[in-house]
Amino acid sequence: MAAFIRNSYTIKPQKPSKTSIHQLSEWDQIGTVTHMPTIYFYKPSSNWLLKSDAMINTLKESLSRVLVPFYPLAGRLRSIGNSRLELVCNDMGVKLLEAESKFQLKDFGDFSPCPAFEYLIPCVDYTLPFNELPLMLVQLTTFQCGGVSVGLAISHTVADGQGALHFICEWARIARGEPLNKSPYLDRNVFKIDESPVFDHREFNHPPLLLGKSNNYEERKKKTATAMLKLTKEQIEKLKKISCVNNDGRSYTRYEILTGHVWKAACKARGHKPEQPTAIGICVDARKRMKPELPDGYFGNATFDVIAVSTAGEIMSNPLGFASGKIREAIQKVTSEYVTSAVTFLKNQKDLTRFQDLHTLGGVEGPFYGNPNLGVVSWLRLPIYGLDFGWGKEIYMGPGTHDFDGDSLVIPHHDEEGSLVLAICLRVAHMDAFKKYFYEGLV
């Protein structure tokens, strides 16, 4: 075992909050409704290591203070039927674990996600009812070399990546003895609805299946592997030159270029027939796209998933700009009117089960973006680095374990400005071929 738990604490807001019920938006209750794992590794100075309880006490005290403005995280979810939930703000608290490991930081190499991460990030027991699950779990693990890791699992139902990182950054500020920088905006009644949807929301349909298959049950069971693939600034420039300029005269963004490149490499690696339909899931932050824009500090889910669809033959045979163009078209759909129409569509659904991504729990009803599809989430604009609780900034930050075919993240390189990292999970049978096509012409 990579780590063993020494102590477990329940941390509640320093000042009790008023018990209340927060109605969740439809947006909070679709897609990923589980906890999202991330991990930070540190090399603290000897000043912190001299007092064995200094770090855990700092986390305990600062966490109780930051939970005062972010009190919904100390609450619990409750089912209200038809796969819908509400947020009960009752100060039941978050879980903080203190652990030790016989590992050393050097044992993790380049910190690519590995099985040991499972012991460094708090485990969430989804066999329990929703109303018993903490919405946030944290684990401080000390290694033999004196290094530490902070593993986090935060309920995606309560906050998306932007909201979760807002909370984490404010927590670190308070731990360093600084005041709160920006209060969260907690009112979730910001998404309007119309009388009926006015757009065709194909993103809510299940993505394409492999030709000849009536379901994806077998694909969900296939063994997968994870890789962290770096692209230097120079390699990204090469891709930019390959992709050319869009029909509107604007160059493609780094995300559009890289995502198109990933789509093309995956189609080749999976050996698709030209007529194989394939989709790519794209996550768009709607905060600045709404009219009016969502309030600064909005704490909830405001990311909108859209899809680009093509055939493997079109993606593989056309220049990179074709795939990037498909992706841009999908992103440009996300207007205030489109989001309002989508919320209305979801409000009209009797049950949300088929829109909830529960394959992390072994289910088969939610959307599956494995073979022949992909999902590429961007962390390029999120403040994921520089998290300092008082003992210095991290030496590495990344996603926790993710072992579902087609899941991928694009993140900025920790140490090299302009370079990017693709964290991708694919079937074991496809990974080597994917790496080959991913770097083809770039090395």
Side-chain angles (χ1 to χ4, degrees):
M1 186 177 293
F4 66 93
I5 307 299
R6 285 182 54 204
N7 292 298
S8 176
Y9 310 94
T10 297
I11 309 298
K12 299 184 178 184
Q14 192 177 62
K15 297 177 182 177
S17 60
K18 183 180 178 181
T19 300
S20 57
I21 306 295
H22 284 209
Q23 301 303 318
L24 298 172
S25 74
E26 303 300 303
W27 231 236
D28 296 317
Q29 302 178 77
I30 65 165
T32 304
V33 293
T34 50
H35 292 64
M36 299 304 293
T38 51
I39 190 165
Y40 292 79
F41 289 90
Y42 297 87
K43 282 184 179 177
S45 68
S46 57
N47 293 337
W48 285 91
L49 300 177
L50 289 174
K51 295 182 179 180
S52 61
D53 59 353
M55 291 185 187
I56 194 68
N57 286 342
T58 294
L59 292 183
K60 287 164 66 176
E61 195 273 339
S62 57
L63 186 51
S64 70
R65 289 176 59 195
V66 77
L67 283 174
V68 174
F70 287 89
Y71 65 88
L73 272 175
R76 295 294 184 268
L77 296 174
R78 181 168 67 189
S79 173
I80 54 175
N82 299 325
S83 293
R84 284 178 163 83
L85 302 164
E86 63 183 7
L87 176 56
V88 183
C89 298
N90 53 14
D91 287 351
M92 286 188 69
V94 304
K95 181 176 283 189
L96 174 61
L97 303 173
E98 187 179 10
E100 288 184 5
S101 172
K102 293 182 179 179
F103 280 69
Q104 299 188 47
L105 289 177
K106 65 180 182 181
D107 295 326
F108 294 97
D110 64 355
F111 297 105
S112 293
C114 63
F117 277 25
E118 293 182 19
Y119 299 97
L120 306 180
I121 298 171
C123 178
V124 184
D125 184 1
Y126 291 109
T127 63
L128 296 173
F130 265 120
N131 61 357
E132 295 181 25
L133 292 176
L135 300 179
M136 177 179 173
L137 302 92
V138 186
Q139 181 174 319
L140 175 70
T141 305
T142 304
F143 302 105
Q144 289 291 305
C145 60
V148 299
S149 68
V150 176
L152 302 119
I154 299 179
S155 172
H156 208 304
T157 303
V158 178
D160 58 14
Q162 185 82 353
L165 281 160
H166 176 198
F167 165 78
I168 295 168
C169 291
E170 296 293 356
W171 178 20
R173 285 178 61 86
I174 288 174
R176 297 193 305 268
E178 299 173 19
L180 194 74
N181 181 49
K182 183 196 301 178
S183 296
Y185 185 88
L186 300 176
D187 183 359
R188 292 169 187 254
N189 297 313
V190 293
F191 291 106
K192 301 175 183 177
I193 61 171
D194 290 327
E195 290 185 7
S196 60
V198 294
F199 292 94
D200 175 22
H201 293 284
R202 63 190 302 184
E203 66 270 9
F204 294 128
N205 297 330
H206 280 212
L209 297 169
L210 285 170
L211 291 172
K213 300 289 184 180
S214 59
N215 60 58
N216 52 38
Y217 300 165
E218 288 303 313
E219 284 301 308
R220 291 176 186 256
K221 298 174 184 176
K222 299 285 177 64
K223 189 175 180 181
T224 59
T226 302
M228 303 285 280
L229 306 178
K230 175 187 170 185
L231 281 178
T232 65
K233 187 176 182 180
E234 293 71 30
Q235 289 171 322
I236 295 166
E237 287 300 321
K238 279 188 180 180
L239 285 177
K240 283 184 179 179
K241 290 177 182 177
I242 295 170
S243 66
C244 300
V245 177
N246 187 259
N247 293 335
D248 60 12
R250 292 188 297 124
S251 298
Y252 290 111
T253 65
R254 290 185 303 168
Y255 174 78
E256 291 164 346
I257 292 166
L258 181 56
T259 304
H261 180 59
V262 170
W263 198 4
K264 196 165 187 174
C267 286
K268 292 179 179 179
R270 286 165 165 172
H272 289 324
K273 296 177 180 178
E275 64 271 25
Q276 172 66 57
T278 175
I280 192 157
I282 305 151
C283 189
V284 182
D285 190 342
R287 284 171 170 78
K288 301 295 184 182
R289 294 170 178 260
M290 300 303 295
K291 294 179 182 177
E293 293 182 1
L294 296 192
D296 199 24
Y298 177 73
F299 189 69
N301 281 273
T303 50
F304 187 88
D305 291 333
V306 289
I307 59 170
V309 182
S310 187
T311 63
E314 288 180 321
I315 297 298
M316 292 187 291
S317 64
N318 281 295
L320 175 58
F322 177 83
S324 297
K326 288 278 186 182
I327 290 158
R328 173 168 290 186
E329 287 174 16
I331 293 172
Q332 288 178 332
K333 283 184 182 178
V334 185
T335 61
S336 184
E337 294 77 17
Y338 195 85
V339 172
T340 299
S341 172
V343 172
T344 304
F345 172 85
L346 292 169
K347 279 277 188 186
N348 291 340
Q349 303 301 309
K350 280 190 173 183
D351 192 293
L352 295 179
T353 302
R354 73 184 183 94
F355 309 107
Q356 295 170 336
D357 187 358
L358 289 174
H359 65 254
T360 47
L361 309 184
V364 295
E365 293 187 73
F368 174 68
Y369 274 88
N371 193 19
N373 312 298
L374 288 165
V376 185
V377 176
S378 172
W379 284 7
L380 295 178
R381 296 183 180 179
L382 296 180
I384 61 175
Y385 297 138
L387 191 69
D388 180 4
F389 289 99
W391 52 73
K393 296 178 181 179
E394 78 286 341
I395 59 172
Y396 174 83
M397 179 276 177
T401 53
H402 61 142
D403 53 3
F404 304 101
D405 185 29
D407 283 0
S408 64
L409 284 170
V410 182
I411 58 179
H413 194 279
H414 189 274
D415 302 313
E416 297 179 19
E417 188 173 352
S419 296
L420 303 177
V421 175
L422 174 73
I424 188 165
C425 179
L426 291 172
R427 279 179 49 187
V428 170
H430 299 148
M431 184 59 84
D432 286 345
F434 177 81
K435 292 177 182 178
K436 170 192 168 187
Y437 293 120
F438 185 74
Y439 287 114
E440 197 170 54
L442 297 178
V443 292

